[in-house]
Amino acid sequence: MKTKLSLLSAAILSATLTLAPVASQAAIPLAVDGQELPSLAPMLQETTPAVVAVAVSGTHVSKQKVPDAFRYFFGPNAPREQVQERPFKGLGSGVIIDAKEGYIVTNNHVIEGADEILIGLHDGREVEAKLIGTDAESDIALLQIKAKNLTALKRADSDKLQVGDFAVAIGNPFGLGQTVTSGIVSAMGRSGLGIEMLENFIQTDAAINSGNSGGALVNLNGELIGINTAIVAPGGGNVGIGFAIPANMVNNLVKQIIEHGEVRRGVLGVMGQDLTSELAKGFGIETQHGGFINEVMPDSAAAKAGIKVGDIIVSVNGRSIKSFQELRAKVATMGAGTKVEFGLIRDGDEETVTAVLGESTQAAEAAAGAVHPMLQGAKLETASSSGVEITDVAQGSPAAASGLIKGDIIVGVNRTKVKNLKALKSALEDQKGSVALKIKRDNTSLYLILR
């Protein structure tokens, strides 16, 4: 039977369940010879309130080209394409990670294209959620709700996980309501599956099904170790092979979204491939895991750190890596400006180098364009004092046409003060028409109008 990989679909419009009768059994005692039986119940009583149901609705818009014969029959004014709108609804899961701020993590594919996001809390409350930011390449989305008496999950150090550690999955499969399953960590650092652009999955045999997307994978202490996101599903259901995004990876992405409003992807500046047994033999080394470096980009973070062609990177911040894909995923989710220690093998000797990750110029300019179309082409950073600094402006870009120059600091939008990038994004979010940016340039203040 052919095996296929699938995301845990959020688009559950209906589910037909066949319930088989279960033979009656004697009640299982809570204790034997006065000794209490082990149970996950005490831990789950503390953790399940932090896992929520996510219901979304929206409209899919598709465009189809109108055949030339049709346009010829109805004349030159006939439309060139036909637009179709189809409403959709979906269900998924989410995890409260900050009770005070109301932050909830889920999968990007759960909320993608949604016009409305409704959160179902463990106590029965339903609260509308606001989308704070997403990262499609790693399939993470951050939501926020306004509600009291929330419970948040603590996050474990997922780099310390080992194959064989117990794991518990909590989510909302098939829209049944909150469901708990258990298993173990089956593998670490799974990549090359073609599910996401950035893959560094925890594999587990805890039963995961459609609707578990965005739900929690926790350890026996009730700490979050991963966000469930995909399964191997030859027949469309659980076969004991599920994948979760590691908590450390989620933590890095969430920090960036909260601080900047989007992910500032880190760039090392290398090209490479997985270390194969043939390469290892050719280089006379015993290790079979790591990332072999084929190329180092000039003036990149890697070049400045002294990484060279032919090096084999075997660890990141003291944690071993299995493949170049795992290296790529870890670096890309750490964020620009992060100081990272790389363990490598060069000419058979072990060495350690430290690099400060760069940022993709293309990504930074695109991120600015997401804040406001007329900021596209500018690189934005929260200023050391207060405000948002323009650290670079691409020639001929909308930002340049708006009059922005390198060194400008945005301190206000209309009458609203702006202290950081998150505040700038929030201030511009609901603005329509022309917007006045208050700028500090050298020792003077001025206003620039974005139209």
Side-chain angles (χ1 to χ4, degrees):
M1 181 179 294
K2 184 180 179 181
T3 300
K4 70 175 182 179
L5 289 164
S6 68
L7 290 172
L8 308 182
S9 173
I12 305 172
L13 302 181
S14 64
T16 302
L17 302 177
T18 302
L19 302 180
V22 179
S24 60
Q25 298 177 351
I28 299 175
L30 297 178
V32 175
D33 295 332
Q35 298 292 321
E36 290 188 4
L37 294 175
S39 174
L40 296 176
M43 178 272 284
L44 291 171
Q45 288 172 2
E46 299 293 327
T47 58
T48 51
V51 182
V52 302
V54 181
V56 301
S57 61
T59 304
H60 285 308
V61 179
S62 60
K63 297 180 180 181
Q64 292 183 334
K65 185 179 179 181
V66 177
D68 291 337
F70 179 89
R71 295 181 59 248
Y72 177 80
F73 182 79
F74 284 93
N77 294 326
R80 292 182 176 272
E81 59 183 15
Q82 184 180 14
V83 178
Q84 294 182 336
E85 296 184 353
R86 180 169 57 87
F88 74 88
K89 292 183 178 180
L91 295 175
S93 306
V95 180
I96 301 173
I97 59 168
D98 188 324
K100 182 180 178 181
E101 297 295 333
Y103 286 132
I104 295 173
V105 171
T106 186
N107 286 140
N108 177 68
H109 78 261
V110 169
I111 54 83
E112 190 172 18
D115 298 321
E116 184 180 35
I117 305 171
L118 197 63
I119 301 300
L121 298 174
H122 187 260
D123 58 14
R125 287 180 291 169
E126 292 186 343
V127 186
E128 190 171 344
K130 176 184 178 182
L131 178 61
I132 302 300
T134 66
D135 183 38
E137 291 190 19
S138 60
D139 199 19
I140 284 295
L142 182 66
L143 311 175
Q144 187 176 35
I145 60 173
K146 293 183 179 180
K148 296 181 179 179
N149 301 319
L150 298 177
T151 299
L153 279 187
K154 293 181 180 179
R155 280 162 278 181
D157 182 354
S158 56
D159 284 338
K160 293 182 179 180
L161 284 176
Q162 300 181 69
V163 173
D165 287 349
F166 287 106
V168 178
I170 311 172
N172 181 37
F174 298 112
L176 285 171
Q178 193 172 86
T179 300
V180 178
T181 57
S182 66
I184 63 170
V185 173
S186 304
M188 295 293 298
R190 287 295 194 211
S191 61
L193 304 175
I195 301 173
E196 307 296 347
M197 290 290 291
L198 299 172
E199 296 181 343
N200 178 29
F201 293 123
I202 301 167
Q203 182 181 324
T204 181
D205 66 344
I208 297 173
N209 289 285
S210 293
N212 273 103
S213 276
L217 191 68
V218 302
N219 59 22
L220 294 188
N221 291 325
E223 299 167 323
L224 184 69
I225 59 176
I227 297 294
N228 300 321
T229 191
I231 57 176
V232 170
N238 170 64
V239 294
I241 301 178
F243 300 102
I245 302 167
N248 287 3
M249 188 167 165
V250 173
N251 191 44
N252 290 334
L253 294 166
V254 165
K255 281 182 179 179
Q256 295 173 59
I257 291 173
I258 291 173
E259 183 176 353
H260 304 296
E262 69 277 324
V263 171
R264 291 283 187 88
R265 202 167 304 290
V267 176
L268 181 58
V270 296
M271 300 289 286
Q273 65 182 68
D274 296 348
L275 179 66
T276 63
S277 57
E278 290 81 6
L279 278 173
K281 184 178 180 180
F283 278 80
I285 57 176
E286 295 183 0
T287 182
Q288 301 293 316
H289 300 296
F292 181 80
I293 306 304
N294 293 337
E295 183 179 355
V296 177
M297 308 304 173
D299 200 37
S300 64
K304 293 174 182 176
I307 296 175
K308 299 178 180 179
V309 172
D311 285 348
I312 300 164
I313 297 179
V314 294
S315 69
V316 177
N317 287 336
R319 308 290 184 184
S320 62
I321 59 168
K322 291 185 175 182
S323 64
F324 186 82
Q325 291 295 328
E326 184 179 351
L327 169 67
R328 177 174 174 267
K330 285 194 171 187
V331 166
T333 53
M334 282 179 175
T338 304
K339 185 180 291 187
V340 185
E341 185 180 90
F342 295 96
L344 54 86
I345 296 176
R346 178 183 297 162
D347 298 329
D349 297 324
E350 296 183 5
E351 296 188 23
T352 301
V353 299
T354 300
V356 178
L357 300 182
E359 181 181 4
S360 168
T361 303
Q362 198 172 34
E365 292 174 3
V371 175
H372 191 283
M374 293 309 293
L375 292 179
Q376 185 172 352
K379 289 183 68 175
L380 309 178
E381 288 186 8
T382 297
S384 56
S385 52
S386 182
V388 176
E389 184 177 355
I390 310 298
T391 59
D392 198 11
V393 179
Q395 188 176 0
S397 66
S402 298
L404 289 167
I405 63 174
K406 182 178 179 180
D408 283 351
I409 298 178
I410 302 171
V411 295
V413 175
N414 295 337
R415 296 183 179 181
T416 303
K417 290 184 179 179
V418 170
K419 293 183 179 181
N420 51 39
L421 188 54
K422 180 182 177 182
L424 174 64
K425 184 177 180 181
S426 178
L428 289 171
E429 198 168 46
D430 300 321
Q431 296 290 342
K432 295 181 180 179
S434 299
V435 177
L437 293 185
K438 187 176 182 180
I439 304 292
K440 278 189 175 181
R441 181 177 294 171
D442 297 327
N443 295 320
T444 62
S445 294
L446 65 145
Y447 278 94
L448 295 179
I449 308 300
L450 302 184
R451 304 181 186 279

